[in-house]
Amino acid sequence: DTGVSQDPRHKITKRGQNVTFRCDPISEHNRLYWYRQTLGQGPEFLTYFQNEAQLEKSRLLSDRFSAERPKGSFSTLEIQRTEQGDSAMYLCASRPTGGASHEQYFGPGTRLTVT
Amino acid sequence: QKEVEQNSGPLSVPEGAIASLNCTYSDRGSQSFFWYRQYSGKSPELIMSIYSNGDKEDGRFTAQLNKASQYVSLLIRDSQPSDSATYLCASDSGGYQKVTFGTGTKLQVIP
């Protein structure tokens, strides 16, 4: 399978704990996005990487959130001191290199539950 | 005001009918528009993209774009129960390289 992969698929954590999610984009895609989706809402943009550079961050991405893509391949999203409001589906998407298309392809997501 | 607006539904259609899903957007600078299908508990799946005014057909799906009216629609012909899902409209509005999503319309196809 050469699609976007995410790990873990599900994470249950207690409030105040730190969690880290991983995303592996489609291999030839240099653009990578993180979104958050809550029930009844569309995905909300969190941050965007082109290769290893983080080029845009949403104001939704508080200081407790950090994302990295150190070698321009996989990316990690860390949430420190989790809060119940962080419970959501965290989606990663990638986009082909070059061209004008904004088509993004999503991974299966990581569902986070903060208890 | 949300940048991409959709009626949340549910939209119920009988099997075999045409389902019509609508979306409006506020950013006149938007150039690219997308429809994603999302089954409950799953991630969004890209089904159509459209960049110029008019219709674009792919199998049972037709996307329609009217930039003057800032309106995008998706028609699903011969609707099947397996089409029952939430359909997300998205556009390249709101920032550099970013895609903004609507809240989605839930479609129910009744056998």
Side-chain angles (χ1 to χ4, degrees):
Chain A
D1 188 341
T2 57
V4 179
S5 62
Q6 292 186 245
D7 184 71
R9 298 289 300 276
H10 302 274
K11 178 71 176 179
I12 299 174
T13 191
K14 293 184 177 180
R15 187 179 56 181
Q17 298 295 304
N18 299 343
V19 294
T20 300
F21 310 141
R22 176 179 170 128
C23 170
D24 287 86
I26 295 170
S27 60
E28 62 269 26
H29 290 186
N30 72 336
R31 302 175 191 188
L32 185 150
Y33 302 77
W34 285 99
Y35 292 86
R36 180 172 68 189
Q37 187 176 26
T38 54
L39 196 63
Q41 300 298 315
E44 295 176 295
F45 171 80
L46 292 178
T47 191
Y48 157 65
F49 289 86
Q50 183 165 320
N51 298 312
E52 66 276 8
Q54 188 174 21
L55 297 184
E56 188 170 353
K57 293 195 295 185
S58 165
R59 57 182 180 275
L60 290 175
L61 214 66
S62 75
D63 291 346
R64 296 185 298 106
F65 289 70
S66 62
E68 294 182 339
R69 194 181 182 198
K71 297 182 180 179
S73 56
F74 73 90
S75 175
T76 59
L77 177 68
E78 181 183 17
I79 308 174
Q80 297 182 325
R81 305 181 303 281
T82 52
E83 301 172 356
Q84 288 188 322
D86 297 331
S87 296
M89 174 82 89
Y90 289 84
L91 295 161
C92 176
S94 70
R95 180 181 150 193
T97 302
S101 169
H102 285 244
E103 293 181 358
Q104 299 181 15
Y105 298 90
F106 283 88
T110 295
R111 183 166 296 283
L112 173 66
T113 302
V114 182
T115 61
Chain B
Q1 181 185 3
K2 287 188 179 290
E3 294 176 3
V4 178
E5 298 223 33
Q6 299 179 255
N7 187 319
S8 61
L11 173 67
S12 294
V13 299
E15 183 175 356
I18 296 175
S20 178
L21 303 161
N22 305 313
C23 168
T24 58
Y25 62 94
S26 60
D27 183 357
R28 286 197 172 273
S30 296
Q31 297 293 319
S32 307
F33 303 87
F34 311 95
W35 285 99
Y36 285 81
R37 178 175 62 198
Q38 187 172 28
Y39 293 112
S40 180
K42 303 296 185 183
S43 64
E45 174 192 8
L46 180 65
I47 54 172
M48 290 288 286
S49 57
I50 187 166
Y51 305 100
S52 55
N53 278 329
D55 295 359
K56 179 181 177 182
E57 185 174 322
D58 184 0
R60 294 187 297 113
F61 299 99
T62 299
Q64 299 175 318
L65 173 61
N66 183 326
K67 289 186 178 180
S69 300
Q70 296 177 244
Y71 180 89
V72 193
S73 65
L74 179 70
L75 301 178
I76 306 175
R77 288 180 300 282
D78 188 24
S79 295
Q80 301 297 308
S82 58
D83 295 326
S84 297
T86 295
Y87 289 80
L88 297 163
C89 175
S91 74
D92 63 334
S93 63
Y96 177 68
Q97 302 286 351
K98 195 170 70 174
V99 171
T100 301
F101 287 83
T103 55
T105 297
K106 186 172 183 178
L107 173 66
Q108 296 176 337
V109 181
I110 312 300

